[in-house]
Amino acid sequence: MRPSFHPLRTRWNSSLTSTTNSVLATASEKLAHFDSMRFAPIRESTVSREMTSRYMTDMIDHAETDVVIVGAGSAGLSCAYELTKYPDIKVTILEQNVAPGGGCWLGGQLFSAMVVRKPANELLDELQVPYDDKGDYVVVKHAALFMSSVLRATLLADNTKLFNAVAVEDLLVRHEGEGIRVRGVVTNWSLVTQNHDTQSCMDPQVIEAKVVVSATGHDGPMGATSAKRLQSIGAIPHVPGMHALDMSTAEDAVLQMTSEVVPGLIFTGMEVAEVRGCNRMGPTFGAMLMSGQKAANLVLKALGRI
């Protein structure tokens, strides 16, 4: 029996074959282009000079700054992003890890989806981060979409500089009038900070700032850094630590308690729960984003801009 003839199917198959052949030809041309490619020559010393000179120039420039943000997690970066809208304010971001982002590269327990309760989705809209709207909350399909977006927007701004792999070891505190005021932070390379017990004395450096925003997260080996330091020097009587998980209570409390705890030092994000003793919220990020934005406005107030 002769096979049936289908003109439409034959034309479709012919079109598909033509498209496939065109794609393959394009891919073949690209491979040939890559195979013939040669990079422009460069000396290894040139690379070293470029990296060193630019970094040291930034360190010199940011030895005095308007605001230091300690911690480049979801709250710290939301704060920094908000401050990019004021290009005359110099913003210095310090992150103890090599990779910024804190715990916001994933949603929770190594799951990738990011849950954000409304109205914090307004920041996602501003950053053009897509999400599924679930009514009272939204879901970003991968937390890295938010983190990469807020990082990019922040680092593209001329008024911000991120120093990663840099730890804050202490606060610069002045006695002014009848009390104290935080006037900056004491810094060191993270690898040095983590090895003080195994090496001889390696002194730190200082960054002077008009305002410090502490966003180091909940307690841990290097978490709640500023909260614990305030207690150790007697600036606050007690650090209660965060209470157990209660999402509905925690997010409102963290946002409401984001504040200037001592003059010159603003707390944001999960470090707020540590210093104020409110509940933790776990893997929902609305309070992190809005706490960071609120902290930025507290910075503006402290700088006399509001």
Side-chain angles (χ1 to χ4, degrees), residues 171-177 179-184 206 208 263:
L171 300 171
L172 173 61
V173 175
R174 308 285 193 203
H175 290 272
E176 299 181 7
I180 66 165
R181 184 176 187 88
V182 174
R183 289 292 188 182
V206 174
E208 292 189 28

Side-chain angles (χ1 to χ4, degrees), residues 101-254:
C104 196
W105 288 113
L106 293 168
Q109 197 173 315
L110 304 183
F111 301 147
S112 56
M114 179 185 185
V115 177
V116 178
R117 294 168 65 197
K118 292 182 177 179
N121 61 304
E122 293 172 4
L123 178 57
L124 301 179
D125 293 336
E126 194 171 318
L127 293 168
Q128 299 183 352
V129 176
Y131 54 74
D132 295 329
D133 195 323
K134 296 292 186 176
D136 292 333
Y137 65 93
V138 302
V139 182
V140 180
K141 70 177 183 178
H142 203 299
L145 276 172
F146 165 73
M147 186 46 62
S148 58
S149 298
V150 72
L151 260 175
R152 183 178 189 276
T154 300
L155 296 183
L156 282 174
D158 292 334
N159 67 325
T160 62
K161 173 61 184 177
L162 167 66
F163 295 93
N164 38 330
V166 174
V168 170
E169 293 188 341
D170 201 355
L171 300 171
L172 173 61
V173 175
R174 308 285 193 203
H175 290 272
E176 299 181 7
E178 298 181 356
I180 66 165
R181 184 176 187 88
V182 174
R183 289 292 188 182
V185 293
V186 181
T187 65
N188 216 326
W189 305 123
S190 293
L191 290 176
V192 172
T193 298
Q194 294 166 10
N195 287 279
H196 278 312
D197 294 337
T198 63
Q199 302 294 322
S200 59
C201 180
M202 291 171 280
D203 281 332
Q205 294 200 113
V206 174
I207 297 177
E208 292 189 28
K210 298 172 184 175
V211 188
V212 174
V213 176
S214 195
T216 66
H218 57 70
D219 197 6
M222 299 182 76
T225 305
S226 300
K228 290 184 288 189
R229 188 58 177 140
L230 287 183
Q231 180 181 356
S232 69
I233 64 175
I236 56 176
H238 177 57
V239 175
M242 65 181 179
H243 285 194
L245 191 148
D246 181 347
M247 290 183 180
S248 295
T249 300
E251 291 210 272
D252 289 343
V254 166

